[in-house]
Amino acid sequence: MTSASDNVSQTLFCSGAFIIWYSIAVLVNHLPYIDTLKSQGLLMPLTCLLEFIALVAFYRGYSLRFTDIALGTLRTRQVLLFSVLLLATIGSQSWYLRPESWTLSQTGYSQLGLISFCLAVVILAPVFEEILFRGFILHAFLLWAPAQRLTCSIVTSLFFALLHTQYAHLQTLISLTVLSLLLCAARLISGGLKLPIYLHMLNNFFGVAPLLWQNVVR
């Protein structure tokens, strides 16, 4: 297989991953009992579960044919360095972030709905979002512009931020872009997805911890 045809094949895989993710996001809104799922706060966790199952399976299928998007390994120095950078990023957000109505709306559900939401945000979403964005989408750009790592990371990060359509404030989109740039750097430096998945989980845990503390623990 030539390099060009290999790039085309991998680009089709990457496009397929996005189509799967987007299709699930659209189709869940046509599920039976959609109003009940929404009222109980279970629609978002269910969506995440379906996307997790589909994209993990798709990634495993990709990995049987290609090795370019590896899981990599967690190295102590890299984990510590990027954890510090992430915590500094989270700390700086207190200066400019505004509360999002979508996030605040999650507190109005039952404990089951809230716990399901937090589990989806902390465990499921980081895995399939890293597979999709720092895995397939970033890789698709790098296939055709391997020397433009920064540009590919910026485009991927803007894409990542803009597709979080549940958020309304510009400050949140800026925060998501910065987070994604950090995750792209972690992906490129570590050579795999494990480090960005860990960082994404850590970031989301700090995001939902106040909700759990106020509505479940206390």
Side-chain angles (χ1 to χ4, degrees):
M1 181 178 288
T2 66
S3 177
S5 61
D6 187 70
N7 284 359
V8 170
S9 297
Q10 293 208 53
T11 301
L12 290 174
F13 260 102
C14 296
S15 301
F18 177 78
I19 291 171
I20 289 171
W21 172 80
Y22 184 78
S23 297
I24 292 173
V26 171
L27 291 175
V28 291
N29 289 297
H30 300 282
L31 289 173
Y33 310 110
I34 183 70
D35 292 333
T36 301
L37 291 171
K38 285 182 178 179
S39 65
Q40 295 180 356
L42 297 176
L43 180 61
M44 183 271 189
L46 176 60
T47 303
C48 285
L49 179 61
L50 294 174
E51 291 172 335
F52 174 88
I53 293 171
L55 285 172
V56 168
F58 190 80
Y59 172 73
R60 292 186 66 180
Y62 167 88
S63 299
L64 294 175
R65 184 172 180 182
F66 302 103
T67 59
D68 299 64
I69 307 175
L71 285 175
T73 57
L74 290 174
R75 297 179 175 86
T76 303
R77 288 186 179 180
Q78 292 178 352
V79 169
L80 292 175
L81 172 62
F82 278 96
S83 295
V84 170
L85 291 174
L86 176 64
L87 292 175
T89 302
I90 294 173
S92 68
Q93 292 172 356
S94 61
W95 293 94
Y96 65 90
L97 276 187
R98 297 170 58 187
E100 287 282 354
S101 58
W102 180 81
T103 305
L104 295 174
S105 69
Q106 306 306 312
T107 62
Y109 299 124
S110 64
Q111 282 198 354
L112 173 62
L114 182 59
I115 292 173
S116 299
F117 168 80
C118 291
L119 289 175
V121 167
V122 175
I123 297 176
L124 300 181
V127 174
F128 72 76
E129 286 191 351
E130 291 312 307
I131 288 174
L132 177 62
F133 290 100
R134 264 62 61 180
F136 285 114
I137 292 178
L138 177 59
H139 183 59
F141 292 131
L142 289 170
L143 282 171
W144 302 101
Q148 303 296 324
R149 286 186 159 198
L150 178 58
T151 300
C152 293
S153 296
I154 291 173
V155 174
T156 298
S157 298
L158 291 173
F159 203 46
F160 173 74
L162 292 173
L163 285 173
H164 281 75
T165 55
Q166 68 268 39
Y167 299 123
H169 299 310
L170 177 61
Q171 294 93 324
T172 305
L173 297 181
I174 293 173
S175 173
L176 288 169
T177 303
V178 172
L179 170 64
S180 180
L181 286 171
L182 181 65
L183 296 175
C184 286
R187 156 79 169 84
L188 295 172
I189 291 173
S190 69
L193 294 174
K194 283 186 178 179
L195 182 56
I197 287 174
Y198 156 75
L199 294 170
H200 201 150
M201 286 181 171
L202 184 62
N203 176 81
N204 288 8
F205 171 77
F206 280 110
V208 302
L211 292 177
L212 283 174
W213 176 256
Q214 294 171 11
N215 296 279
V216 178
V217 179
R218 292 179 64 180

